[in-house]
């Protein structure tokens, strides 16, 4: 598969970047959690900024629904902006006053200001990669001529704005390695324009393509002078929620007027779908056009670029399955879950692409989940998950098994390189080991360490274990636990539990810099592999979506209870964290089982599930969640929606909500409305709303903003579960 992009997440949110830590041996945390320590009113509640309450009620499918904070949906209203500024100021004042904030600010700076890079990949005679040195705020794109050429920087977003508010999104190298197309984003939002640069000279080309919000993937013509991209109308031209339905695939010839770009394919107006276009990394002539129906099915067409008169041919359409095509040496390969929830691989003759003529090369494995297949070193390389741990296989192009790739341990591994080159890079990481790059031969194997994140870190004090819980319906749910080897299993140590469980996202072992201070202060961390993800294939995904979404939350509760039963935690020392779709997860968890959790970190969340599809990119998630406008979906969404189940007089956990002013994926209205509801009705711990300015769904896009956010958020969690400053 073409390694052409550094991708933004196609679903709601991304996993945390695997930054390197410098932990030391864990210390015991003997202190009990203390009551919330913040200024309170005479009634005992915090003196939050005042919030207006409206008597908004409506009847949906025969059910009376209250929405007292609907006025907070309008982020452009001066009253809402003033309210949000007051909430953010209120939160930051209290977060800065916490005992651990200053210490964590220093520690996270040590952890995140480290040099790191991605494995290089070859295009033509050049090698490209992204990297960041220890003093930089953002990753840069670099290249070298040949294997041993001098490294040069071609894209440096650190220089694009004085305040760091202009960001680099996805980028794609032309087939000859001479041109890079790249997204430029303001305030780290998804909204983007495509720019172009000449690699050799560093000269910026005059072409600027607006409307490139969804151009995560691109296709290049065989002569590298034209690019195929996904275009959507500018903001305001059509209702925001409907923009994806107006997406087009366009062809731009470099040096021409973008207003005259040819429309290659136009969607039908359905905003629940994505459209994208891609081509191979090498000289293979096929261009692929895909229409994605949520995260459950895809239609695919292809075009032979050698023939200027060629027309799009249908590869697959109308099947309730996912298809992921790539081409190599004149053949098309397809990874699919059609009739095989754990995945299989087909080969297709482009001259006879009818489905009945497809040849199955690799059948579904009975227990392993196929993550991906790609052409490397004139072979097929398959990446599997075996109980959420990576297994790599090398096969001949006809699918015959040749060998299993040796890994340096149990963790997450990826193999990358050029389809024709035997030399490849194995990237490997675990929960206790930052990314390492090993040079290897696709055909013969062998591992030679080539690069690793250079920080003083000794993983020996820590142990990674895998635990299995039983969910409400009896389903076996895995989770990884990271703790000190000498930690007693008596429930005295704080535990941080993370989950996501949606959009087929696979939560595999990787290094999370954010948990290092937590471990260093004597805590343990756990990562739950919930239904809604795809760790066990498409059936696992569909088991936690639409009317079965409650399974994800039930799985999360089950993992929490299993951790408590195993002595890793107790309720008063259990904190939970989730972002984006994971914010929905922890929001639902805290309102459904408020007695089970002590503190909650809820980042850029979805929380009003009756109106989510009216804002941001919401309509593209209807296939995953359903819509309240559908009578069949409504009862499930209403039962799930955290905002609608905050009951007055209930002692809810302490909550910190993280939001961003320019989040155009999940509208900040969710965090605003939920914060207002909890502040008004909860009799439990504090509810703080921290809002990052000039930031999008993934945050502020600089290390300094990441450090500040992590320091304040984790100081809150750690204070709530009784962690103290280290001696």
């Amino acid at each position: 598969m073409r390694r052409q992009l550094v991708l933004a997440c196609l679903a709601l949110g991304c996993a945390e970047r695997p930054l390197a830590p410098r932990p030391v041996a864990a210390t015991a945390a003997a202190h009990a959690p203390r009551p919330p320590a913040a200024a309170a009113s005479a009634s005992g509640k915090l003196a939050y900024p005042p919030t207006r309450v409206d008597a908004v009620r409506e009847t949906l499918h025969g059910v009376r629904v209250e929405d007292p904070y609907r006025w907070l949906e309008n982020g452009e209203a001066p009253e809402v902006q003033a309210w949000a500024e007051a909430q953010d100021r209120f939160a930051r004042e209290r977060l800065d006053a916490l005992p651990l904030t200053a210490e964590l600010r220093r520690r996270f700076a040590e952890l995140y200001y480290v040099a790191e890079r991605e494995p290089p990949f070859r295009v033509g005679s050049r090698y490209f990669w992204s990297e960041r040195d220890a003093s930089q705020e953002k990753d840069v794109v670099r290249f070298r001529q040949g294997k041993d050429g001098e490294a040069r920087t071609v894209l440096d977003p650190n220089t694009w704005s004085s305040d760091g508010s202009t960001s680099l999104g996805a980028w794609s190298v032309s087939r000859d390695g001479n041109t890079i197309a790249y997204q430029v984003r303001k305030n780290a939002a998804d909204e983007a324009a495509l720019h172009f640069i000449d690699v050799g000279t560093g000269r910026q080309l005059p072409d600027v393509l607006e409307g490139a919000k969804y151009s995560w993937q691109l296709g290049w013509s065989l002569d590298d002078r034209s690019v195929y991209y996904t275009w959507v109308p500018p903001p305001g031209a059509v209702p925001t929620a409907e923009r994806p339905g107006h997406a087009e695939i366009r062809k731009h010839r470099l040096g021409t007027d973008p207003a005259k770009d040819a429309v290659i394919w136009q969607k039908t107006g359905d905003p629940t779908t994505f459209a994208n276009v891609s081509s191979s990394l090498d000289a293979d002539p096929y261009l692929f056009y895909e229409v994605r129906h949520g995260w459950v099915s895809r239609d695919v067409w292809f075009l032979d670029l050698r023939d200027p008169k060629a027309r799009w041919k249908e590869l697959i359409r109308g099947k309730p399955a996912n298809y992921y095509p790539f081409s190599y040496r004149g053949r098309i390969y397809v990874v699919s879950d059609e009739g095989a929830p754990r995945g299989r691989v087909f080969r297709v003759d482009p001259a006879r692409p009818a489905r009945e003529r497809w040849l199955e090369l690799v059948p579904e494995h009975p227990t392993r989940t196929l993550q991906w297949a790609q052409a490397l070193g004139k072979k097929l390389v398959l990446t599997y998950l075996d109980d959420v741990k990576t297994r790599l296989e090398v096969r001949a192009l006809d699918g015959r098994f040749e060998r299993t790739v040796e890994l340096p341990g149990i963790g997450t591994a990826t193999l990358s390189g050029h389809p024709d080159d035997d030399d490849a890079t194995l990237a490997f990481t675990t929960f206790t080991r930052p990314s390492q790059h090993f040079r290897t031969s696709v055909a013969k194997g062998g591992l030679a360490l080539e690069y690793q994140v250079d920080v003083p870190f000794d993983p020996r004090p820590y142990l990674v274990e895998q635990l299995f819980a039983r969910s409400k319906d009896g389903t076996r749910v895995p989770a990884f636990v990271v703790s000190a080897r000498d930690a007693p299993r008596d429930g005295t140590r704080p535990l941080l539990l993370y989950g996501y469980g949606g959009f087929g996202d696979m939560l595999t072992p990787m290094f999370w810099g954010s948990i290092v201070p937590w471990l260093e202060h004597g805590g343990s961390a756990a990562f739950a592999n919930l239904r809604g993800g795809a760790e066990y294939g498409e059936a696992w995904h569909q088991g936690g979506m639409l009317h079965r979404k409650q399974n994800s939350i039930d799985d999360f509760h089950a993992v929490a209870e299993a951790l408590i039963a195993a002595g890793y935690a107790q309720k008063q020392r259990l904190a939970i964290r989730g972002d984006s779709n994971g914010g929905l997860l922890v929001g639902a968890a805290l309102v459904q089982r408020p007695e089970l959790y002590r503190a909650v970190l809820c980042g850029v969340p979805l929380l009003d599930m009756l109106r989510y599809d009216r804002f941001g990119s919401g309509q593209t998630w209807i296939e995953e969640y359903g819509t309240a406008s559908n009578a069949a979906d409504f009862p499930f969404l209403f039962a799930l929606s955290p905002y609608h189940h905050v009951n007055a007089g209930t002692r809810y956990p302490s909550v910190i909500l993280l939001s961003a002013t320019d989040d155009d994926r999940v509208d900040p209205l969710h965090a605003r409305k939920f914060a207002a509801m909890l502040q008004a009705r909860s009799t439990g711990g504090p509810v703080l709303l921290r809002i990052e300015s000039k930031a999008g769904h993934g945050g502020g896009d600089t290390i300094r903003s990441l450090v500040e956010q992590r320091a304040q958020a984790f100081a809150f969690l750690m204070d709530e579960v009784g962690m103290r400053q280290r001696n």
Side-chain angles (χ1 to χ4, degrees), residues 1 217 276 278 288-301 315-326 332-340 344-346 348 353 355 358 372 538:
M1 177 62 182
Q217 292 181 275
N276 65 271
S278 62
F288 295 101
Y289 166 71
E290 304 172 36
V291 173
R292 300 151 40 95
H293 303 274
W295 279 256
V296 295
S297 68
R298 297 184 180 217
D299 300 327
V300 184
W301 293 260
L315 184 64
I316 195 74
R317 184 174 60 165
K319 298 279 189 178
N322 284 300
Y323 302 87
Y324 305 93
F326 65 95
I332 294 173
Y333 296 84
V334 181
V335 178
S336 179
D337 54 31
E338 177 198 317
R344 54 180 174 163
V345 183
F346 296 93
V348 182
R355 173 63 186 87
W358 292 15
W372 196 241
E538 181 59 19

Side-chain angles (χ1 to χ4, degrees), residues 53 71 159 362 370 527 572 653:
V53 179
W71 66 273
T159 65
V362 184
L370 180 61
F527 302 84
Q572 285 304 303

Side-chain angles (χ1 to χ4, degrees), residues 35-53:
S41 67
S43 65
K45 293 189 66 171
L46 286 180
Y48 298 113
T51 304
R52 174 165 61 85
V53 179

